[in-house]
Each structure stands twice: as C-alpha cells, then as structure tokens.
Amino acid sequence: MGEENKQSLLKKRFYKNCPGCKVDELKEKQRGIPIKELVLIWIVVLCTALPISSLFPFLYFMIRDFKVAETEEEIGYYAGYVGSSFMLGRALTSVLWGLIADRYGRKPVIIIGTSAVVIFNTLFGLSVNYWMAISTRFLLGSLNGLLGPVKAYASEIFRKEYQALGISSVSTSWAIGLIIGPALGGFLAQPAEKYPAIFSKDSVFGRFPYFLPCLCISLFALMVTIVTFWLPETLHIHKEPCEDSVVAVEAVSRGSFEKEITQDFEGREPDSKKSLIKNWPLMSSIIVYCIFSLHSTAYSEIFSLWAESPRKEGGLSYSTNNVGVVLAVSGLGLLVFQLSLYPIAEKILGPIMVARICGVLTIPLLTCYPYMTLLTGFSLPLLLGCASVVVNILSVSILTAMFVLQNKAVDQHQRGAANGITMTAMSLFKAAGPAGAGAIFSWTQKRQDVAFFPGDHMIFFILNVIEAIGVLMTFKPFLVEGQNP
C-alpha cells in the first residue's frame, strides 16, 4: 500500500448517525481544558458518592432508634448489614449494567442510576424499621450501576492529552463526596433535636429524624438527572471502524493490515471478554484493588461506630456532628492531596510503589487509634482529625493507583467490560466489609478486659492484617503492571 493510501488512513472516518462519532468529531475541534465535561463527570460521580458517605455519621443512632438491637454492643452488628446491603445489590447487578452500557450506551445507565438515587435514597430516609432500611439500600445499590460506565465514559469523552485528567476527575469527585456527604449526614440528621427553633418534633423531620440529609441528596440527584439528559453519548453504534487510523498504518507497515484491523476495530465480541479473564495484569490489579477496598469500607464503618460508641465501651462518645466534622475535614485534606501531590507522587514513584508505600504507612497509624481514647480536651479532636486525614489520603491513593493499573491493562474498547468485572468484585468485598466490621465490632466490645488485644485494639489489629495482606500482594510475581495500549 502506497504513501497516498497511508495518508488517507490517517484521517478519521465519522458516521452521520453515530453518537460516538459525533463526540470524536467534537474532540477533533476541541481546544483547551474541557471544563464542561469535567463538571458533568464530577456531579454524576458526586451523585452516587453522597448516599454512601452520608450514611456513616448517623447509622449508629438510626439502628439504635429502630430498637432492633437488644444491647448497645449489638448495634454495630445490625449497622453492618445496612451498610452491606447497598454493596451487595451493586455486586449482583454491576455486570448487567456494564453489558447494558456496552450495548445501549453509557448515557441510559447514568440516567437510571441518578434516578435511583432520587427514589430510593428518599425512601431510606423515611424508613420506619430495620428491614425497610435494608431493602431501600439494597434496591439503591442494585439500580445505581453508573460508577463503572462513568469510568469508561471519563476515558472516552476527552481528547487523548486530557484522558488522564478525566479519569482522575472520578477520584476527585469521590473525594468531594467524602467532604460533603459526612457533613450533610452529621449536621442534618436529627434536626428536631439540634435545631428545635426551626424543626418541631411534630414535623416530618421530627418523626423521621434521618430524612433531611437524604432529602437534600435526593434533590441534588434530581437536578443531576435532569442535566444528564444533555450528556453526549460516547458509544459507537455501527459495525465499521471509526477509530484512529494511525493503528491501521502501523499494521500496514508490519504487513498485517487485515489481522490488526479485525483485532482493533471489530474485536468487540465475546472473545475480547474472554481475554479479560486471561489478562493477568488486569485481574491481579482487580484482586489487589478488592483487598484494599475491603479495608477502606471496613475502616469507614468501624471509625463511625467506634467514635460514637460510649467511653465505657472503648469509644469516644462522639455525636453525629463530631463525626461529620472529622470526616469532612479528612475529605477536604484528601481533595487537596488528590489535586496537587498525588499526580507528582505517581509520576516519580509509579502506581505500584505509591500503593505499597501508602499501605505500609497505614499500619502504624491505625495501631495508634485505640490509644486516642486516653486523650481529652483539644488534643483529642486535633490528633484524631490529623490521623483521619492521613488515613483517608493513603487509602484513596492506593485505590487510585490500582485504578490506573487497570486502565493500563486493557484496550479502550474493553474498558466497559473491565469496569463491570471490577465493580462486581469490588462490591462483593465492600459488601463483606461493613457486615464483617459490624459483627467484629460488636464482638470486640464484649471483650474489654481480656489480656490479648482488649476491646477495640483487636478490631484495629484485624484491619492491619488485611492491609498487610494487600501490601504483600503488590509484589511480583502477583501484581504485574500492564502497558497502556
């Protein structure tokens, strides 16, 4: 094939009725940082992050008010299942939503996911008993399958030079959710008790003390749902190739044109999904990601239960306001780090080394937590706030590093399926996290006087064991870094 034909291949082909081609055509004309697209991704991810993070400050008191636990020590046990129900629902449906996103588009899945927040998060705030709370959280998780598709969407909506920024915007928005969510849950829960001049005990917010934070999040989700109708679809709906023809030119130079075109452009068949299972760089990063996700979710559950449990049970006797402040401050620190220092750290050290160092640093930090119950006065919130900021920074840095590795391990046309596998596996581990953490927390509260790791020392020791396993799995030959196609 001559030079003239090679030059013709360098031009992209756009198909008139294909939404993905329209996006690609707009990307060709786009100049500068795509602020509009970044904001759209931020608010969509924020919409799905808020219902998760806002729950922790008031979950202890919500379970107590349901009177399902016979003793204070059992509250953590029941709280764990409420926290797990969302992740269990997401685990059971993530692959299905991934398939729907690959077949019908990212946009419908995103709209359905934000709509689910509007409906089922509102119903959760209106829960009158324990089983209604579990059911609404499970349905919310089952129908909110947008996180995987939106990660694929973030890698498709931007030009190549801004794809890294788009992918990191997902983590950044999650960090914003860690700021706003706990603050909403902490300050707006039980409004009739905290703000009697504004909310009476006979009002709907007095009869449903945890409805106000859920209502605020649902109203935000309603606005996001309306905005998502104007989202551009990135899925290509045609059988012929429209990818960058530079790949084809490289194939011609190697004398393997037909084979390469078939692989890169028309290889979106079940064979590509089969190859994902055999892709060890992808699968190893998913497994390590799941271990650290289990740790992160268990820590979030345990921290709130531990801080709000009575001093006599080894806790801090914190209120929802206190916990909301601590979690919001830690989320703010995380946001600053993600936007400024994390990209530099990853560029210098690489994602695997970042994850390894952060995991090692987390272990001694968590060991100090049980000793904070000995502190009083200003030193307690100061040290607890600093420790919480650092732990969250380390945790999210690890998860971001694993997500970067997953992105490097697959082709762009495989990212939807890869994210479906990741979300299913991660959700299963995150479902086990709160349930296991709640049960272990209740068990540890009953062993305050034993000699070997008494009380809360044991639960933080178990967290450290999980973290240590994750760190060990970041070494070769288990974890292998793939190459960005």
Side-chain angles (χ1 to χ4, degrees):
M1 189 173 286
E3 186 66 29
E4 185 177 330
N5 287 336
K6 287 185 180 182
Q7 290 299 324
S8 67
L9 281 172
L10 286 170
K11 297 180 181 179
K12 291 185 177 181
R13 295 181 63 190
F14 301 113
Y15 293 84
K16 185 176 180 181
N17 297 319
C18 172
C21 286
K22 291 179 182 178
V23 169
D24 285 346
E25 194 171 5
L26 287 173
K27 287 194 293 185
E28 287 292 299
K29 302 174 183 177
Q30 190 181 64
R31 293 295 179 268
I33 298 176
I35 301 296
K36 177 183 175 183
E37 288 79 5
L38 283 174
V39 172
L40 288 173
I41 290 174
W42 280 351
I43 62 173
V44 168
V45 176
L46 184 62
C47 180
T48 194
L50 288 177
I52 300 174
S53 59
S54 63
L55 176 70
F56 294 115
F58 63 77
L59 183 57
Y60 181 93
F61 299 100
M62 189 182 210
I63 300 301
R64 183 197 64 185
D65 292 349
F66 286 150
K67 303 186 187 308
V68 67
E70 296 181 1
T71 63
E72 284 187 338
E73 291 85 353
E74 292 181 353
I75 290 177
Y77 175 80
Y78 289 98
Y81 286 107
V82 176
S84 295
S85 57
F86 176 91
M87 292 299 172
L88 179 60
R90 195 165 74 175
L92 294 175
T93 59
S94 288
V95 171
L96 174 62
W97 289 118
L99 292 173
I100 292 173
D102 285 341
R103 180 71 180 272
Y104 300 104
R106 323 300 191 202
K107 182 176 175 179
V109 175
I110 292 173
I111 292 175
I112 293 171
T114 56
S115 301
V117 174
V118 176
I119 298 169
F120 294 104
N121 192 62
T122 301
L123 292 175
F124 174 72
L126 294 170
S127 296
V128 294
N129 57 52
Y130 180 69
W131 295 109
M132 181 177 176
I134 283 187
S135 300
T136 52
R137 291 290 291 181
F138 176 80
L139 291 170
L140 175 59
S142 300
L143 296 173
N144 185 10
L146 63 82
L147 191 56
V150 86
K151 287 179 179 179
Y153 187 87
S155 67
E156 296 164 355
I157 194 67
F158 298 105
R159 292 168 61 93
K160 286 186 177 180
E161 58 265 36
Y162 296 117
Q163 279 183 0
L165 179 63
I167 293 170
S168 66
S169 68
V170 176
S171 297
T172 304
S173 181
W174 198 264
I176 295 173
L178 292 178
I179 301 170
I180 301 175
L184 287 174
F187 287 104
L188 299 183
Q190 302 168 319
E193 295 180 18
K194 297 174 183 175
Y195 319 109
I198 304 175
F199 303 97
S200 70
K201 291 186 177 181
D202 297 325
S203 67
V204 65
F205 300 111
R207 289 183 285 119
F208 300 98
Y210 310 102
F211 177 52
L212 183 57
C214 295
L215 178 63
C216 292
I217 293 170
S218 295
L219 291 174
F220 172 72
L222 178 61
M223 291 187 289
V224 173
T225 303
I226 296 171
V227 171
T228 53
F229 280 94
W230 282 271
L231 276 178
E233 178 58 67
T234 59
L235 185 68
H236 289 279
I237 305 176
H238 50 75
K239 294 182 180 179
E240 297 182 65
C242 70
E243 299 284 341
D244 196 337
S245 297
V246 172
V247 178
V249 173
E250 293 174 351
V252 170
S253 67
R254 294 194 298 269
S256 57
F257 179 80
E258 292 297 334
K259 181 179 179 182
E260 199 71 31
I261 290 297
T262 300
Q263 283 183 336
D264 287 341
F265 295 155
E266 297 174 353
R268 306 177 191 190
E269 298 296 327
D271 288 343
S272 65
K273 295 179 182 178
K274 182 179 178 182
S275 67
L276 289 178
I277 306 300
K278 298 179 181 179
N279 185 339
W280 183 243
L282 172 65
M283 299 309 296
S284 62
S285 63
I286 289 176
I287 293 170
V288 177
Y289 184 72
C290 288
I291 296 295
F292 284 116
S293 294
L294 171 66
H295 181 276
S296 175
T297 310
Y299 166 79
S300 298
E301 178 87 6
I302 286 167
F303 177 81
S304 297
L305 294 175
W306 169 68
E308 292 171 350
S309 60
R311 285 268 185 175
K312 64 180 181 178
E313 303 293 345
L316 301 177
S317 296
Y318 266 26
S319 65
T320 58
N321 281 16
N322 299 139
V323 174
V325 168
V326 173
L327 295 179
V329 169
S330 64
L332 180 60
L334 172 61
L335 175 61
V336 173
F337 180 83
Q338 283 282 309
L339 291 177
S340 57
L341 299 179
Y342 178 80
I344 299 172
E346 187 190 308
K347 186 176 181 180
I348 296 172
L349 300 172
I352 292 180
M353 187 57 70
V354 167
R356 195 175 295 158
I357 292 173
C358 290
V360 170
L361 292 177
T362 300
I363 293 173
L365 196 58
L366 289 183
T367 304
C368 299
Y369 269 58
Y371 298 101
M372 291 187 187
T373 57
L374 304 175
L375 300 175
T376 56
F378 180 70
S379 59
L380 174 58
L382 176 64
L383 292 177
L384 183 63
C386 291
S388 181
V389 167
V390 176
V391 167
N392 278 297
I393 286 175
L394 297 176
S395 177
V396 174
S397 296
I398 294 171
L399 298 179
T400 304
M402 291 301 107
F403 179 61
V404 170
L405 291 177
Q406 293 160 27
N407 183 58
K408 284 185 176 182
V410 293
D411 267 331
Q412 184 175 7
H413 69 267
Q414 292 179 309
R415 284 176 189 152
N419 278 315
I421 296 172
T422 302
M423 292 305 300
T424 297
M426 180 195 69
S427 297
L428 285 172
F429 276 77
K430 282 196 168 186
I440 295 172
F441 180 80
S442 295
W443 170 65
T444 56
Q445 284 204 318
K446 298 175 183 177
R447 54 188 308 278
Q448 299 289 338
D449 300 322
V450 300
F452 180 74
F453 289 111
D456 297 318
H457 289 265
M458 174 58 77
I459 199 163
F460 286 104
F461 171 74
I462 294 173
L463 283 176
N464 281 335
V465 170
I466 298 172
E467 189 79 358
I469 292 172
V471 171
L472 290 175
M473 293 174 71
T474 61
F475 288 90
K476 291 182 179 180
F478 189 85
L479 184 61
V480 181
E481 185 171 358
Q483 297 299 319
N484 211 352

